[in-house]
Amino acid sequence: MSVFLRTAIRRPLLYRAMSGHAAHNPYLKDFKYKDTVRVLDNTLTLSTSEHAMIDRFVRVNQAGETAAVTIYKGQLAVLGRDPALRDLLVHMRDQEVEHLSIMDKLVVDYKVRPTLLLPVAAVGGYVLGMTSAMLGVTSAMTCTEAVETRIGAHYNDQLRELHMLKYEPLDALKQIIAKCRDEELEHLDTAVDHGARRAPLYKLQFEAIKAGCSVAIWLCDRI
């Protein structure tokens, strides 16, 4: 059998063997450069499948936090004259700004390709925030509840997948995502407390916005 055929047959087996953390097997060290990615200032080695997963997570999260910041900016543009409401919206916006800063750093740390839809996320978020606020305070809160419901579930899905890896060097990433998730769910509770479910056509608004978030996640994952 020719060398070419032997290599062609063995290569898929080798790649399967190197999935997960079999890539760190010392017997495969000569092939490591072919199937791994070094991140975090070259201090952490991930298999290509692990890096692809984190690449998707961080790319979508950066776009989501971009949209979240501009949603609150849009709402503030309409509702910002009420001092109490302004303080509430500014508080939630500032937390989203912090989340976005974290995701921007993770893009660099984990060598992530940002989505091409970042400008769309920014503009779409602002339009959604402003439109929901123009319908009234309760509709603005319905918007927040719907967005945070979908994003909270999205972060939970990511945490579940990261937990299944059982890879200690990624614990810091899990803690970051868990913190963002918890604060998003706080925003959800705040929105409900401020009348989200008393909005006109509440169910229609809620489901439409949540479905829009799902579409946005799907697109940003792939583009």
Side-chain angles (χ1 to χ4, degrees):
M1 184 182 294
S2 71
V3 173
F4 174 79
L5 288 175
R6 287 200 301 271
T7 302
I9 291 171
R10 292 172 57 200
R11 183 168 293 157
L13 298 177
L14 175 63
Y15 282 3
R16 285 199 293 273
M18 292 182 71
S19 64
H21 295 290
H24 303 289
N25 187 325
Y27 296 105
L28 300 177
K29 64 183 179 180
D30 291 337
F31 299 93
K32 198 171 187 180
Y33 73 95
K34 291 183 179 179
D35 203 56
T36 62
V37 179
R38 295 186 66 81
V39 296
L40 296 176
D41 293 328
N42 291 326
T43 62
L44 174 62
T45 300
L46 298 173
S47 72
T48 52
S49 60
E50 290 163 352
H51 184 257
M53 181 181 72
I54 292 172
D55 186 81
R56 290 188 296 108
F57 288 176
V58 176
R59 176 166 54 255
V60 173
N61 293 351
Q62 184 189 39
E65 298 299 349
T66 296
V69 169
T70 57
I71 285 172
Y72 287 117
K73 287 182 177 180
Q75 291 181 345
L76 279 164
V78 177
L79 301 173
R81 292 189 181 88
D82 181 328
L85 193 56
R86 179 177 179 80
D87 288 346
L88 178 67
L89 294 173
V90 166
H91 170 69
M92 292 193 288
R93 181 205 61 194
D94 288 349
Q95 285 187 315
E96 301 294 1
V97 168
E98 180 185 352
H99 296 176
L100 179 56
S101 177
I102 290 169
M103 295 305 162
D104 287 343
K105 184 174 186 303
L106 291 179
V107 164
V108 176
D109 288 347
Y110 285 92
K111 300 179 181 177
V112 170
R113 176 187 66 78
T115 176
L116 299 176
L117 299 178
L118 270 181
V120 178
V123 173
Y126 191 87
V127 171
L128 176 60
M130 178 174 281
T131 303
S132 65
M134 290 173 67
L135 295 174
V137 174
T138 55
S139 289
M141 294 300 161
T142 298
C143 173
T144 296
E145 183 194 3
V147 170
E148 303 298 19
T149 296
R150 185 63 189 90
I151 299 308
H154 176 67
Y155 277 140
N156 275 334
D157 290 342
Q158 292 184 353
L159 288 169
R160 193 175 299 112
E161 289 194 52
L162 287 170
H163 179 71
M164 289 174 64
L165 287 179
K166 300 186 183 302
Y167 186 33
E168 188 174 335
L170 292 177
D171 284 352
L173 178 61
K174 288 190 283 187
Q175 291 170 6
I176 288 170
I177 292 176
K179 176 182 182 294
C180 291
R181 186 262 331 261
D182 291 345
E183 290 179 353
E184 304 294 359
L185 295 180
E186 287 175 12
H187 297 174
L188 187 160
D189 292 338
T190 298
V192 172
D193 291 343
H194 285 77
R197 295 175 183 175
R198 297 196 299 272
L201 300 175
Y202 161 75
K203 194 67 175 176
L204 178 62
Q205 291 189 60
F206 179 86
E207 293 298 338
I209 294 170
K210 192 173 71 161
C213 291
S214 295
V215 171
I217 288 170
W218 188 89
L219 290 172
C220 291
D221 185 358
R222 290 160 175 78
I223 298 177

